[in-house]
Amino acid sequence: MSSACPHAIAIDPMVGDLAGETARLAAAEAVTRIELLGVPAWTITDHTVARQLLTDARLVKDINAWKLWRDGVVTRQWPLIGMIDAGRSMFTVDGPEHRRLRIKTTQALTPRRLEELRPTVERLTKELLDDLDEANRDGAPVDLKAVFAYPLPMRVISELMGVPRSDHAMLLDWYKKFFSMVTPQDERLRIIEDMDVYFTEMVRRKTDTPTDDLTSALILADEGGEPLTEEEVVGNLKALVAAGHETTVSLILNAVRALLTHPEQLERVRAGEVEWKQVIEETLRFDGPVTHLLMRFATEDITVGDTVIEQGEGVVMSYRAIGRDTAVFGDDADEFDITRPTASRNISFGYGPHICPGAALARLEAAIALPALFDRFPTLTLATPVDQIVNLPVMTQNDIAALPLRLS
């Protein structure tokens, strides 16, 4: 698009060099110009500035505040539009309306409710570890993503939301194509329509016959005033299923990859010298599930240091670069270290009012899945050189294509 800035850092849609891109962004200014498939935006690479802006009411999620959208420069043909113009939900509104749409979800994901969910996560983890064992009968390498890390979070979030297991393969395929930069935009728009139809029909079924799940709870919610509309329930459900599995897949895979390439650290955690919680927080900081989160829009000029984000401009949070901020995480922020004392300060799941509502669930799943995996298969090793593990062409998630392992 002609609006691109020639001096911006271009974000590679094919994710050919994620490490190099992260390094360039981490070395850039706290507020830096980027280009997303021809569309200019600002990105935030500094931890402190990110925390400030993520609580700044002048930055909103409403796409109608985006000048490029209002002027018709960005249209529905832009491949990333589905992540911004995603219908009405707690992910796309701000202020009192955001609180109204979010409250029932947060009530369903309290620490007490998550503890009640623990046996379910443990059961599903064991089922999939059995599947791994079965897949390894002939001793050939097994793709941890396909057999374990990919299905686990989808099964957990689906049980929580009341999504039938028979629909998992279809939903996983839809979300994979939705996020992929190689999917033709016309196909992506059809998938968005199919998702809307699927989740609308699901909400209508549960409206007629509520069950004991979060979708029914959202439908019946009336705390704090006006109940959610059908569109709002569908929007929340659609986004929760996506966020509830995509982030956890990457968290599990990236933690396993990091530990297998740092065997001395793996030995320390298996010996009980370091808690699995520290492994999870360092993975979130060093190699988190989200690379760039789209997008917020300035409702007035915002000055950050010597930079002015003008009214109507878009702002992206580059969480992977933020996790390498040496001022917060030390001069060795480019290294994986499960003993890092500041790792828990990461904001990989966001910060402020829009912090990911499923963050605690993702941490719970990883805290169960990782030790169970290494206990079941203590001689786990990579079945391919680490430099041959590549990312899928997804600009927003840190999504590796496969993680082939030898289980024994």
Side-chain angles (χ1 to χ4, degrees):
M1 297 181 181
S2 59
S3 59
C5 173
H7 304 297
I9 296 176
I11 303 303
D12 178 13
M14 304 309 292
V15 198
D17 180 18
L18 182 58
E21 180 178 279
T22 300
R24 287 190 294 276
L25 288 169
E29 297 296 324
V31 184
T32 296
R33 274 292 190 185
I34 58 171
E35 179 188 317
L36 299 166
L37 300 176
V39 172
W42 293 103
T43 195
I44 310 305
T45 64
D46 179 276
H47 185 274
T48 301
V49 172
R51 284 167 57 103
Q52 292 170 351
L53 292 179
L54 287 168
T55 56
D56 193 322
R58 296 172 296 175
L59 280 176
V60 300
K61 291 294 198 81
D62 183 1
I63 192 173
N64 294 303
W66 192 14
K67 187 175 187 301
L68 294 179
W69 175 255
R70 294 197 309 266
D71 293 349
V73 176
V74 173
T75 70
R76 292 287 293 172
Q77 288 303 311
W78 188 51
L80 298 172
I81 197 62
M83 300 179 197
I84 304 173
D85 185 27
R88 184 176 175 79
S89 76
M90 64 180 171
F91 298 91
T92 58
V93 299
D94 299 278
E97 281 298 276
H98 170 256
R99 290 190 290 275
R100 183 180 73 85
L101 294 179
R102 185 182 173 101
I103 186 170
K104 193 63 181 181
T105 302
T106 56
Q107 288 173 346
L109 294 174
T110 61
R112 180 183 63 81
R113 289 292 298 272
L114 287 174
E115 277 305 307
E116 292 173 355
L117 193 60
R118 180 181 290 273
T120 298
V121 179
E122 291 173 341
R123 170 176 56 81
L124 295 172
T125 297
K126 183 182 183 304
E127 289 177 7
L128 290 167
L129 289 175
D130 290 342
D131 290 347
L132 266 180
D133 214 358
E134 180 67 23
N136 185 238
R137 272 194 169 188
D138 60 359
V142 179
D143 178 11
L144 186 71
K145 180 176 183 179
V147 184
F148 182 73
Y150 206 34
L152 175 61
M154 177 57 83
R155 291 186 186 182
V156 172
I157 195 68
S158 293
E159 291 213 8
L160 181 66
M161 305 300 295
V163 176
R165 187 175 291 194
S166 58
D167 294 338
H168 287 189
M170 176 186 70
L171 290 170
L172 286 168
D173 182 62
W174 278 351
Y175 281 111
K176 180 179 179 180
K177 291 176 178 176
F178 171 78
F179 286 113
S180 174
M181 290 296 97
V182 300
T183 302
Q185 183 63 1
D186 288 346
E187 181 180 356
R188 193 189 328 274
L189 293 175
R190 284 196 300 273
I191 289 169
I192 292 171
E193 291 177 2
D194 289 343
M195 286 183 183
D196 286 339
V197 171
Y198 173 84
F199 286 114
T200 298
E201 290 178 351
M202 179 177 161
V203 168
R204 289 175 180 173
R205 286 196 306 272
K206 290 184 180 293
T207 299
D208 293 337
T209 310
T211 52
D212 184 21
D213 55 51
L214 181 53
T215 301
S216 298
L218 289 171
I219 293 167
L220 298 172
D222 59 4
E223 291 87 345
E226 183 183 355
L228 305 187
T229 66
E230 179 180 271
E231 178 192 6
E232 291 167 346
V233 176
V234 169
N236 275 2
L237 178 57
K238 190 168 56 173
L240 279 168
V241 173
H245 82 275
E246 283 286 341
T247 52
T248 311
V249 173
S250 296
L251 173 55
I252 293 171
L253 292 174
N254 294 344
V256 171
R257 174 173 56 177
L259 289 171
L260 292 179
T261 52
H262 297 80
E264 73 291 346
Q265 297 192 49
L266 174 59
E267 182 58 33
R268 293 191 67 181
V269 72
R270 297 206 65 220
E273 297 176 19
V274 180
E275 295 182 358
W276 281 102
K277 177 181 178 181
Q278 291 173 253
V279 174
I280 292 167
E281 295 308 315
E282 177 65 355
T283 302
L284 288 169
R285 179 206 70 82
F286 174 76
D287 201 13
V290 178
T291 49
H292 313 287
L293 190 66
L294 282 53
M295 189 183 289
R296 295 166 191 254
F297 311 102
T299 56
E300 59 183 78
D301 290 358
I302 300 173
T303 301
V304 183
D306 296 330
T307 302
V308 177
I309 301 170
E310 295 183 1
Q311 180 181 7
E313 291 190 311
V315 177
V316 172
M317 295 292 159
S318 287
Y319 283 114
R320 201 167 187 273
I322 290 167
R324 307 298 178 91
D325 187 339
T326 55
V328 175
F329 301 111
D331 292 340
D332 63 345
D334 278 333
E335 298 176 14
F336 180 77
D337 179 3
I338 59 175
T339 66
R340 187 180 307 277
T342 55
S344 61
R345 294 180 62 187
N346 77 80
I347 56 170
S348 296
F349 285 115
Y351 184 77
H354 281 281
I355 190 170
C356 177
L361 177 59
R363 287 182 166 101
L364 173 67
E365 290 178 59
I368 292 170
L370 290 170
L373 173 68
F374 283 100
D375 285 347
R376 181 73 169 268
F377 304 106
T379 59
L380 207 63
T381 56
L382 291 176
T384 189
V386 69
D387 60 2
Q388 292 182 20
I389 299 170
V390 298
N391 277 68
L392 289 173
V394 178
M395 293 181 70
T396 51
Q397 278 86 251
N398 183 8
D399 192 1
I400 63 177
L403 189 63
L405 301 178
R406 295 193 184 278
L407 305 187
S408 60

